[in-house]
C-alpha cells in the first residue's frame, strides 16, 4: 500500500516535534535525489532550545568530501564524536527519500532499544541498494517540542514570526 501512496515521487520525512528552518525544506526540495539536512552542532547549541548536553547526544553525520553521507551514528560516545573533528554535523531526521528507502524500512531489524530506527534503514539502503544521500550542511538551529517544558521556549522564539498561508 505504501508504494501506491509514494509512487515514483520523492517525499520528505521529518520529526513532527521539531520546528525546522524554512531553508531546510527548500534545500531538500532542490535536491535531485535522496538526501538530508545536517545541522552544524555549534549552531544547534547557539540557536536551538536544546541544552548543549542533550545536543551532543544527537546522531552525528559523517560526510564525504564530495558532500554525500558516509554514515549516520546514533548517540555517538565521546571517542566516536571526537573522531569527527571540530566541525560536527547532526541529523535531526530531516530527509528527502525516494522509493529505495521503503524496501529498507520493510527489512530493517529492531535496534538494541527494540525500535525500528530510520538511520538503520538509511544505512541498509546505502549498503544493499547503493542509495546515495546528499548532505545539505546547515548552520542553523532546530526548535524541539519533545515535552511540555519546551513549549514556552519555542513560543518565545517564534514570537513575532508572521504566519503566511
Amino acid at each position: 500500500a505504501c508504494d501506491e501512496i509514494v509512487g515514483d515521487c520523492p517525499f520528505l520525512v521529518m520529526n513532527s516535534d521539531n520546528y525546522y528552518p524554512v531553508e531546510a525544506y527548500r534545500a531538500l526540495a532542490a535536491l535531485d535525489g535522496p538526501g538530508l539536512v545536517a545541522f552544524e552542532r555549534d549552531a544547534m547549541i547557539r540557536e536551538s532550545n536544546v541544552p548543549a548536553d542533550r545536543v551532543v547526544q544527537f546522531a552525528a553525520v559523517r560526510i564525504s568530501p564530495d558532500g554525500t553521507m558516509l554514515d549516520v551514528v546514533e548517540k555517538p560516545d565521546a571517542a566516536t564524536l571526537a573522531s569527527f573533528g571540530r566541525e560536527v554535523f547532526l541529523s535531526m531526521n530531516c530527509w528527502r527519500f525516494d522509493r529505495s528507502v521503503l524496501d529498507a524500512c520493510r527489512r530493517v531489524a529492531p535496534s538494541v532499544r527494540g525500535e525500528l530506527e530510520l538511520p538503520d534503514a538509511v544505512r541498509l539502503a546505502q549498503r544493499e541498494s547503493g542509495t546515495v544521500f546528499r548532505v545539505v550542511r546547515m548552520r542553523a538551529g532546530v526548535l524541539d517540542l519533545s515535552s511540555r517544558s519546551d513549549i514556552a521556549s519555542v513560543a518565545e522564539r517564534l514570537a513575532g514570526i508572521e504566519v503566511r498561508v
Side-chain angles (χ1 to χ4, degrees):
C2 242
D3 290 348
E4 290 81 33
I5 293 170
V6 174
D8 290 325
C9 297
F11 57 99
L12 304 184
V13 173
M14 61 212 58
N15 291 344
S16 62
D17 60 354
N18 287 341
Y19 183 88
Y20 300 96
V22 171
E23 295 80 22
Y25 301 111
R26 287 186 182 126
L28 288 176
L31 290 177
D32 61 355
L36 75 149
V37 177
F39 295 88
E40 198 262 332
R41 179 183 57 186
D42 291 344
M44 281 289 297
I45 291 169
R46 275 190 322 274
E47 299 176 28
S48 75
N49 64 323
V50 182
D53 61 332
R54 206 168 108 215
V55 166
V56 297
Q57 296 173 12
F58 291 165
V61 180
R62 202 174 293 281
I63 306 168
S64 73
D66 71 356
T68 59
M69 186 183 79
L70 293 171
D71 198 8
V72 57
V73 182
E74 275 294 323
K75 298 174 183 34
D77 60 29
T80 302
L81 200 54
S83 75
F84 280 73
R86 289 181 36 92
E87 194 173 52
V88 177
F89 284 85
L90 307 172
S91 171
M92 296 299 293
N93 285 320
C94 192
W95 299 90
R96 176 185 166 126
F97 290 134
D98 62 17
R99 65 185 313 135
S100 68
V101 78
L102 296 177
D103 184 50
C105 285
R106 286 185 195 95
R107 294 182 299 109
V108 72
S111 69
V112 294
R113 297 183 310 177
E115 296 181 10
L116 299 174
E117 305 272 357
L118 190 54
D120 292 342
V122 166
R123 274 193 230 93
L124 192 62
Q126 277 184 304
R127 257 192 334 269
E128 295 186 3
S129 301
T131 304
V132 175
F133 293 89
R134 304 243 20 107
V135 179
V136 176
R137 293 175 177 97
M138 191 159 288
R139 287 172 172 76
V142 174
L143 301 180
D144 184 55
L145 277 164
S146 294
S147 68
R148 286 184 186 267
S149 62
D150 296 327
I151 294 172
S153 66
V154 171
E156 180 181 327
R157 288 182 186 245
L158 295 179
I161 301 287
E162 181 183 336
V163 177
R164 294 180 287 174
V165 188

